[in-house]
């Protein structure tokens, strides 16, 4: 290789920093241009400042407690957590966004790809450093004051920057590798929607195992393991400046020597992956199997369920439901958010599952959460959920009632049996008696039937039309968070009489029988649910019918 | 006497302080192809969306086949609409998409769907998912969707955008054919030769105002001596702030 070629492969500092500056300027303008983004940033900054003061106190106390070996171990684990946390966030961003450059064709035909890569990485580093700078300064100042030496402050800033840089490069390189895998593997490209949904679920289960109540053993084991990996050496590099801390100078030296080696290696790897992703041809999945399946389904005509429903609901309503099921079967990420409410009570139930018991609170929680999931699935954004097809829907002859019936049916057909089945199953596993079980099942039925109507109404009040990145290079219109909160609040309020009846019985047991109290609670909930469900349905139907985008 | 297929009176649309369409008066008889021209941002799409009942007029009235555009249920049976981005679901096949719209309209259109798919050479691809289609194929499918119920009025926003010459030819032939069957076509496009070839009358919208209206040949005749008498020159002249032309000449 000639010297010229070798020189060409090194990034230009001027161009890379220019790209990074431009990227950071764009980020700042995006934040400044949106009240919501600016508000969230300021709120995040306020919390960060509050936490940072805590870091300052911890830094100040550290030299005094340094004789205890567990402090060093804690510091080592914490260094690894900073690296891992950075990997986690940067990896997600690389997969969703930064792995491909904005205005890619323009930039890549203007500068060498290594300049573009370094520019993007520097910009990402700038964003990350903004987040860690204040906590690092607070911790460093605290540590310096506690140790009565300025050295720990310098070391803290250097180690924080090093930890973030390593985490960022690992995360970004892994993100590039992940995107390249999707671009090159026909299997992954073909099934990325399903795989993405599975990865999200696996991640949730893993998160629940570590962080759910009762997961202390798992998280402690994980934390201890993190103190023994090379990223933990960064803590030694910091604490070697605090003589009483007992840091290992050898590990500290290894961190100092290893850092530039790791950075150079990771950058080289990223520089090798980036052009393969940016300039390479993505595989074109063979859709023939899908085509054959779709054609066969068409030849077979309506399914048993379709034929059964055809006698009950109108053709336009059934058409809407059938279309929704087809879309979600083929692209589950469109509605994967709907699983979240149902997973939350299961998250808190993990503790019980570990020791073979099921909390008696889980069944009522699932009755409410299952209804919220059912409402969220298809009904929470009646207008925006149609995305670009809304004009065709509105200019068809479908009336609002048929349309909302269709989206309600889409959620109820899978949601009602799942919610009722889970509620009944968990009640039985929790050894609740038959009366309580029946009452909870009744509550689940009442709330779930009402959920789509309530969801549709909150969805037309808080519509959302913008697509969001939902990972794995997929975009979907995710309903508004406000619509979701409104749905959850309304259903929770409607559920209160049925759920409070269990507590009320303890005060009234001398006067009335238990079944009477529970039945009365269920009856009030059923009436409330029917009222808000039907009212919501009518409001949503009328809103869809008269909707104009002004 | 039949009402005009499209009739607007003083149709106006404001977005805040901006006036997108200002006092538009139009009357398009049945079976006519009306070419709707104008530079980017002139208000063409806003006008079409008002006619399609998707955007509420700020003032004035508009009627499609005699039905007021504020009454969607009265208008939509008469209306076919193809927006600039064809309204299609990527996850469905062409057959499923068209069946879905037929379900919404509660019509049996199997034969017409097959015939239109055949006409646009999409039969072979009709079992493929729309996400795999090219822009031109999506455009053709969107047009079939707009035509499947045999509407009285067809609103087309840039229908030949992204089409290859053969597909564009097919679309032009089809527009001429549906107009011959008494369907009124309101055609918004930047491609002037398409309008020149097809349109019975042309309206040019500029900054929300209708600055010229008439048969393409009549408009060309109004040009000053020395200018080549083409629709392109008419368009350039009436949409140029620097030149003073009285469009009502």
């Amino acid at each position: 290789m000639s010297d010229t070629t070798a020189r060409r492969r090194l990034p230009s500092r001027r161009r890379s920093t220019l790209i990074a500056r431009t990227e950071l300027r764009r980020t700042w303008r995006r934040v400044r241009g949106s009240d919501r983004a600016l508000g969230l940033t300021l709120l995040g900054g306020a919390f960060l400042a509050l936490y940072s003061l805590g870091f300052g106190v911890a830094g100040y106390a550290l030299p005094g407690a340094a004789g205890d070996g567990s402090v060093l171990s804690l510091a080592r684990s914490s260094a690894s957590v900073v690296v891992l946390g950075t990997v986690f966030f940067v990896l997600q961003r690389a997969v969703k966004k930064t792995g491909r450059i904005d205005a890619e064709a323009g930039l890549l035909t203007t500068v060498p790809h290594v300049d573009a890569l370094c520019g993007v990485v520097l910009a990402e580093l700038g964003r990350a450093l903004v987040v860690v700078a204040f906590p690092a300064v607070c911790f460093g100042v605290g540590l310096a004051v506690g140790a009565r030496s300025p050295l720990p402050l310098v070391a803290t800033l250097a180690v924080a920057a090093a930890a973030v840089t390593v985490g960022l490069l690992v995360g970004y390189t892994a993100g590039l590798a992940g995107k390249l895998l999707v671009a090159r593997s026909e299997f992954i490209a073909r099934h990325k929607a399903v795989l993405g949904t599975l990865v999200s679920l696996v991640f949730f289960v893993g998160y629940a195992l570590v962080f759910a109540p009762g997961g202390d053993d798992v998280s402690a084991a994980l934390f201890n393991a993190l103190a023994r990996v090379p990223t933990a050496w960064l803590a030694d590099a910091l604490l070697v400046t605090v003589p009483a801390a007992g840091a290992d100078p050898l590990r500290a030296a290894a961190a100092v020597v290893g850092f530039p080696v790791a950075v150079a290696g990771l950058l080289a790897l990223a520089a090798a992956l980036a052009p393969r992703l940016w300039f390479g041809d993505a595989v074109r999945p063979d859709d023939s199997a899908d085509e054959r399946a779709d054609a066969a389904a068409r030849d077979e005509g309506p399914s048993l369920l379709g034929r059964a429903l055809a006698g009950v609901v109108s053709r336009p309503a059934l058409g809407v439901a059938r279309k929704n099921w087809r879309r979600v079967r083929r692209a589950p990420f469109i509605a994967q958010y709907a699983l979240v409410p149902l997973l939350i009570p299961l998250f808190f139930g993990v503790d019980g599952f570990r020791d073979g018991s099921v909390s008696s609170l889980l069944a009522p929680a699932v009755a409410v959460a299952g209804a919220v999931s059912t409402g969220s699935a298809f009904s929470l954004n009646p207008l925006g959920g149609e995305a670009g097809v809304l004009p065709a829907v509105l200019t068809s002859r479908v009336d609002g009632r048929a349309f909302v019936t269709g989206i309600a049916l889409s959620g109820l057909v899978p949601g009602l049996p799942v919610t009722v089945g889970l509620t009944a199953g968990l009640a039985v596993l929790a050894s609740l008696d038959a009366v309580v079980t029946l009452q909870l099942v009744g509550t689940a039925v009442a709330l779930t039937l009402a959920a789509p109507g309530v969801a549709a109404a909150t969805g037309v009040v808080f519509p959302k039309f913008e697509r969001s990145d939902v990972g794995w290079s997929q975009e979907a219109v995710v309903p508004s968070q406000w619509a979701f909160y409104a749905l959850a609040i309304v259903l929770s309020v409607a559920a209160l009489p049925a759920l409070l009846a269990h507590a009320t019985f303890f005060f009234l047991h001398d006067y009335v029988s238990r079944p009477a109290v529970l039945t009365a609670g269920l009856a009030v909930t059923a009436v409330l649910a029917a009222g808000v469900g039907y009212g919501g349905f009518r409001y949503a139907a009328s809103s869809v019918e008269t909707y104009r985008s002004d | 006497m039949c009402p005009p297929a499209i009739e607007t009176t003083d149709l106006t649309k404001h977005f805040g302080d901006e006036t997108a369409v200002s006092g538009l008066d139009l009357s398009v008889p049945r079976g006519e192809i009306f070419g709707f021209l104008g530079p980017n941002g002139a208000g063409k799409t806003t006008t079409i969306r008002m006619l399609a009942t998707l955007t509420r007029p700020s003032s004035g009235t508009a009627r499609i086949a005699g039905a007021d555009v504020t009454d969607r249920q009265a208008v939509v049976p008469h209306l076919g609409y193809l927006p600039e981005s064809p309204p299609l679901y990527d996850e469905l096949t062409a057959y499923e998409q068209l069946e879905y719209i037929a379900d919404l309209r509660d019509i049996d259109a199997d034969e017409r769907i097959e015939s239109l798919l055949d006409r646009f050479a999409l039969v072979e691809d009709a079992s493929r998912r729309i996400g795999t289609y090219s822009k031109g194929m999506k455009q053709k499918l969107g047009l079939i969707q707009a035509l499947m119920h045999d509407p009285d009025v067809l609103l087309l926003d840039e229908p030949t955008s992204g089409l290859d010459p053969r597909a564009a030819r097919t679309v032009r032939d089809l527009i001429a054919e549906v107009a011959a069957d008494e369907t009124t076509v309101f055609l918004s496009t930047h491609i002037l030769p398409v309008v020149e070839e097809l349109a019975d009358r042309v309206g040019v919208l500029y900054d929300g105002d209708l600055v010229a209206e008439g048969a393409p040949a009549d408009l060309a005749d109004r040009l000053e001596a020395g200018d080549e008498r083409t629709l392109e020159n008419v368009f350039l002249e009436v949409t140029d702030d620097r030149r003073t032309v009285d469009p009502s000449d």
Side-chain angles (χ1 to χ4, degrees), chain A residues 20 30 38-39 49 76 83 90 139 151 174 203 219 300 336 368 416-417 443 454 458 462 471 511 531 534:
Chain A
R30 263 201 304 274
L38 192 60
R76 285 175 175 158
V83 175
V90 173
F139 183 79
L151 256 186
F203 175 77
S219 51
E300 283 170 16
Q336 68 183 19
V368 179
L416 186 61
T443 305
V454 178
T458 60
F462 302 106
Y511 311 103
Y534 185 63

Side-chain angles (χ1 to χ4, degrees), chain A residues 284 287 290-295 297-298 315-324 326-327 330-331 333-334 385-400 403 467 543-550, chain B residues 13 15 49 52-57 69-73 76-77 79 81 83 85-93 95-97 99-110 113-114 124 127-129 132 145 149:
Chain A
R284 297 172 67 107
D287 295 317
D290 289 338
E291 284 170 29
R292 282 195 298 276
D294 295 344
R298 187 167 182 267
R315 182 180 165 196
L318 189 55
V320 171
R322 194 185 294 132
K323 175 267 297 178
N324 282 339
R326 276 177 177 150
R327 288 186 73 203
R330 292 167 193 178
F333 60 87
I334 292 173
E386 291 300 300
V389 188
L390 187 60
V393 173
L394 295 179
T395 56
S396 71
R397 297 183 71 175
V398 68
D399 65 55
F403 182 75
R467 286 176 168 269
S543 300
V544 167
E545 208 158 290
T546 56
Y547 175 76
R548 304 282 196 284
S549 62
D550 290 332
Chain B
K13 180 67 190 177
F15 291 107
R49 286 181 63 82
T53 75
L54 297 172
T55 298
R56 202 186 313 272
V69 294
T70 55
D71 182 357
R72 178 175 293 147
Q73 290 301 318
V76 292
L79 188 71
Y81 170 48
S85 299
L88 306 166
Y89 296 107
D90 280 351
E91 301 84 12
L92 302 188
T93 67
Y95 276 129
E96 289 165 351
Q97 173 76 34
E99 280 167 1
Y100 171 55
I101 298 297
D103 281 344
L104 291 183
R105 291 190 175 277
D106 205 0
I107 56 171
D108 293 314
D110 289 356
I113 288 172
E114 285 293 341
E124 295 286 309
S127 292
R128 272 176 53 199
R129 294 191 189 164
T132 65
Q145 183 170 283
H149 58 296

Side-chain angles (χ1 to χ4, degrees), chain A residues 208-393:
Chain A
L209 284 174
V210 177
F211 294 107
D216 300 347
D217 293 347
V218 182
S219 51
L222 188 68
F223 211 61
N224 287 334
L226 286 175
R228 291 193 289 271
V229 293
T231 47
W233 300 345
L234 288 165
D236 290 275
L238 164 62
L239 293 180
V240 83
T241 60
V242 181
D248 183 349
L250 206 62
R251 290 184 185 191
V256 172
V257 174
F259 172 69
V261 174
V263 168
L266 288 165
L267 264 180
L269 188 56
L273 291 172
R276 287 175 170 78
L277 175 68
W278 294 342
F279 298 111
D281 293 330
V283 289
R284 297 172 67 107
D286 177 12
D287 295 317
S288 54
D290 289 338
E291 284 170 29
R292 282 195 298 276
D294 295 344
R298 187 167 182 267
D299 291 342
E300 283 170 16
S303 63
L304 193 62
L305 178 66
R307 285 197 294 273
L309 288 171
V312 183
V313 296
S314 69
R315 182 180 165 196
L318 189 55
V320 171
R322 194 185 294 132
K323 175 267 297 178
N324 282 339
W325 293 328
R326 276 177 177 150
R327 288 186 73 203
V328 165
R329 202 171 59 234
R330 292 167 193 178
F333 60 87
I334 292 173
Q336 68 183 19
Y337 60 84
L339 287 175
V340 174
L342 198 51
L343 291 175
I344 290 171
L346 297 178
F347 174 83
F348 290 103
V350 163
D351 190 21
F353 296 147
R354 277 201 190 92
D355 58 23
S357 67
V358 172
S359 162
S360 58
L361 295 176
L362 207 51
V366 164
V368 179
V372 176
S373 274
T374 302
S376 305
F378 296 97
S379 310
L380 202 50
N381 195 16
L383 297 163
E386 291 300 300
V389 188
L390 187 60
V393 173

Side-chain angles (χ1 to χ4, degrees), chain A residues 364-365 367-368 439-440 443 447 492 495-504 521-522 525:
Chain A
V368 179
Q439 198 254 16
L440 289 176
T443 305
L447 294 176
S492 300
L496 275 180
L499 302 184
L500 287 179
H502 297 268
T504 311
L522 172 59
T525 284

Side-chain angles (χ1 to χ4, degrees), chain B residues 3-244:
Chain B
I6 301 171
E7 189 176 28
T8 71
T9 308
D10 200 23
L11 188 66
T12 301
K13 180 67 190 177
H14 302 294
F15 291 107
D17 294 337
E18 293 277 314
T19 299
V21 178
S22 173
L24 182 66
D25 291 312
L26 272 181
S27 182
V28 183
R30 289 184 65 185
E32 182 172 280
I33 300 177
F34 188 84
F36 199 46
L37 304 176
N40 294 330
K44 301 190 299 295
T45 296
T46 303
T47 303
I48 287 197
R49 286 181 63 82
M50 284 193 283
L51 295 177
T53 75
L54 297 172
T55 298
R56 202 186 313 272
S58 301
S59 62
T61 59
R63 292 179 171 277
I64 298 286
D68 195 305
V69 294
T70 55
D71 182 357
R72 178 175 293 147
Q73 290 301 318
V75 169
V76 292
H78 304 286
L79 188 71
Y81 170 48
L82 175 63
E84 196 169 353
S85 299
L88 306 166
Y89 296 107
D90 280 351
E91 301 84 12
L92 302 188
T93 67
Y95 276 129
E96 289 165 351
Q97 173 76 34
L98 296 173
E99 280 167 1
Y100 171 55
I101 298 297
D103 281 344
L104 291 183
R105 291 190 175 277
D106 205 0
I107 56 171
D108 293 314
D110 289 356
E111 279 182 28
R112 186 155 169 84
I113 288 172
E114 285 293 341
S115 140
L116 287 166
L117 285 170
D118 185 43
R119 179 77 197 266
F120 280 96
L122 277 180
V123 172
E124 295 286 309
D125 299 300
S127 292
R128 272 176 53 199
R129 294 191 189 164
I130 295 164
T132 65
Y133 278 22
S134 67
K135 189 177 176 190
M137 291 166 80
K138 287 182 180 177
Q139 198 74 11
K140 288 195 281 186
L141 184 59
L143 191 56
I144 293 172
Q145 183 170 283
L147 277 170
M148 62 191 283
H149 58 296
D150 199 10
D152 298 321
V153 175
L154 191 57
L155 305 177
L156 303 175
D157 199 350
E158 298 290 350
T160 52
S161 162
L163 297 185
D164 61 49
R166 185 177 298 279
R169 177 81 262 167
T170 311
V171 170
R172 289 204 297 275
D173 289 349
L174 195 83
I175 290 171
E177 194 179 297
V178 295
D181 289 342
E182 289 296 282
T183 297
T184 306
V185 181
F186 193 83
L187 172 65
S188 165
T189 179
H190 283 111
I191 305 173
L192 297 179
V194 172
V195 177
E196 212 153 24
E197 177 189 336
L198 292 173
D200 301 305
R201 275 191 314 137
V202 172
V204 183
L205 200 66
Y206 182 53
D207 213 7
D209 292 313
L210 191 68
V211 293
E213 187 191 354
D218 293 347
L219 288 178
D221 284 345
R222 294 178 195 167
L223 287 168
E224 291 173 15
D227 282 341
E228 195 184 347
R229 291 173 190 279
T230 62
L231 194 56
E232 185 179 0
N233 279 338
V234 172
F235 180 86
L236 293 175
E237 189 147 329
V238 298
T239 59
D240 185 351
D241 280 334
R242 292 166 301 176
R243 300 175 72 162
T244 51

Side-chain angles (χ1 to χ4, degrees), chain A residues 74-91:
Chain A
L74 177 68
R76 285 175 175 158
S77 300
S78 302
S80 291
V81 167
V82 172
V83 175
L84 261 187
T86 312
V87 170
F88 177 70
F89 283 108
V90 173
L91 171 63

